C-alpha cells in the first residue's frame, strides 16, 4: 500500500542469502543462508521468519560446517520437504546431500542421501516423477564448461543423466501438479530441459542466458 520496502530483520554482514521458501500454510518462511568463514569455506545456516510475530530466528541446531545450503522444496501435495546442500569432497570435487526437512524440527540427518557430483556443486532441486510415476527429487548443478542432472528415486537410489553439450544448469522448478520439472541451462547452449517420469529431454527451444524459472500457480505457464 505504501510502495515501500522495510528492513524487518538482520543477521549481519557475513551471511549470504541463498533461498527463501514459505511453508504451505503461509505462517512461516524458511531462509537458507551461508556464512563465509574463510576463502572458499562456508557454514550453512537456516532461519525461520514468523509472520504472526514478524520475527526472524535461527535454527541453531542446523548449522553445518563446510556445507552451503542451496535450495529447499516442498512436495506438490505439501506433505514433505527436501533440503539440498553442497560440500567439498576434495579441493576439486563436491558432494551433494539431500535431507528430509521439517520447519519445526529441521533436518532428518539419519535419512540423508549423498552423491559425489564431481567438479561442480549441486545448485538446485525440484520434485518430479520417476519412471513408475512415483515422486522423485531432481537435482541439477554446474561447473566450468560442464553440468549434471540426476534424480533420487523413491527407493533412495541416485539415477544420473548424460548432459554433454547441455550448457550450465543452475535452476529447476516443479510444476505445481507434480508431474514434471523444468530446468534452464545457460552457456554455449541456452535452453530448457524437462524432467518427467525418470527421463530428461530438451525441446530445442533457444533462450538468451536464462538464470531462473518459476511456474504459475495453475501450472499452465512458466516464466
Amino acid at each position: 500500500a505504501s510502495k515501500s520496502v522495510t528492513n524487518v530483520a538482520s543477521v549481519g554482514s557475513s551471511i549470504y542469502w541463498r533461498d527463501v521458501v514459505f511453508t504451505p500454510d503461509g505462517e512461516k518462511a524458511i531462509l537458507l543462508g551461508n556464512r563465509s568463514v574463510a576463502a572458499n569455506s562456508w557454514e550453512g545456516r537456516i532461519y525461520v521468519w514468523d509472520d504472526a510475530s514478524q520475527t526472524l530466528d535461527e535454527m541453531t541446531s542446523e548449522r553445518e560446517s563446510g556445507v552451503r545450503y542451496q535450495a529447499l522444496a516442498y512436495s506438490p501435495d505439501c506433505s514433505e520437504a527436501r533440503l539440498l546442500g553442497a560440500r567439498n569432497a576434495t579441493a576439486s570435487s563436491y558432494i551433494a546431500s539431500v535431507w528430509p526437512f521439517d520447519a519445526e524440527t529441521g533436518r532428518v540427518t539419519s535419512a540423508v542421501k549423498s552423491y559425489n557430483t564431481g567438479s561442480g556443486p549441486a545448485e538446485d532441486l525440484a520434485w518430479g516423477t520417476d519412471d513408475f510415476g512415483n515422486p522423485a527429487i531432481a537435482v541439477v548443478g554446474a561447473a566450468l564448461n560442464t553440468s549434471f542432472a540426476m534424480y533420487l528415486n523413491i527407493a533412495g537410489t541416485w539415477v544420473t543423466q548424460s548432459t554433454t553439450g547441455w550448457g550450465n544448469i543452475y535452476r529447476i522448478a516443479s510444476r505445481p501438479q507434480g508431474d514434471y520439472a523444468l530446468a534452464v541451462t545457460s552457456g554455449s547452449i541456452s535452453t530448457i530441459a524437462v524432467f518427467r517420469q525418470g527421463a530428461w529431454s530438451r525441446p530445442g527451444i533457444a533462450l538468451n542466458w536464462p538464470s531462473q524459472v518459476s511456474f504459475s500457480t495453475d501450472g499452465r505457464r512458466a516464466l
Side-chain angles (χ1 to χ4, degrees):
S2 64
K3 297 181 174 63
S4 62
V5 176
T6 303
N7 184 351
V8 293
S10 175
V11 296
S13 59
S14 64
I15 302 297
Y16 292 80
W17 294 121
R18 175 67 184 190
D19 200 9
V20 55
V21 178
F22 276 91
T23 55
D25 60 11
E27 296 299 317
K28 296 179 179 180
I30 310 301
L31 289 83
L32 306 183
N34 297 299
R35 177 176 174 263
S36 177
V37 178
N40 298 316
S41 180
W42 300 89
E43 179 185 66
R45 303 262 184 117
I46 299 177
Y47 298 82
V48 179
W49 168 260
D50 186 286
D51 177 68
S53 63
Q54 297 282 286
T55 55
L56 183 70
D57 295 306
E58 184 189 354
M59 302 179 77
T60 54
S61 62
E62 300 309 306
R63 290 186 182 184
E64 188 74 9
S65 179
V67 165
R68 281 182 287 169
Y69 288 135
Q70 300 287 68
L72 176 70
Y74 279 89
S75 60
D77 65 2
C78 301
S79 64
E80 53 184 325
R82 293 293 185 273
L83 172 68
L84 175 67
R87 73 164 71 236
N88 281 95
T90 66
S92 58
S93 66
Y94 293 84
I95 298 290
S97 294
V98 174
W99 296 271
F101 181 84
D102 183 271
E104 301 295 332
T105 59
R107 296 172 299 162
V108 182
T109 55
S110 61
V112 65
K113 298 295 181 180
S114 299
Y115 189 86
N116 190 317
T117 58
S119 59
E123 298 284 352
D124 204 0
L125 86 169
W127 290 78
T129 52
D130 66 13
D131 44 353
F132 293 102
N134 295 310
I137 309 297
V139 175
V140 298
L144 183 62
N145 299 319
T146 186
S147 63
F148 62 85
M150 57 189 187
Y151 72 92
L152 186 64
N153 65 22
I154 198 169
T157 301
W158 289 101
V159 181
T160 60
Q161 164 72 36
S162 173
T163 56
T164 301
W166 280 31
N168 295 324
I169 312 175
Y170 290 112
R171 292 291 181 268
I172 186 170
S174 302
R175 187 168 183 256
Q177 288 74 10
D179 52 345
Y180 70 88
L182 197 64
V184 289
T185 77
S186 300
S188 57
I189 297 177
S190 295
T191 183
I192 59 176
V194 179
F195 172 67
R196 188 199 313 257
Q197 290 193 312
W200 297 83
S201 62
R202 291 189 298 161
I205 299 170
L207 299 173
N208 187 18
W209 289 81
S211 59
Q212 184 59 281
V213 57
S214 182
F215 276 92
S216 59
T217 53
D218 63 9
R220 295 179 59 190
R221 295 181 177 180
L223 181 69

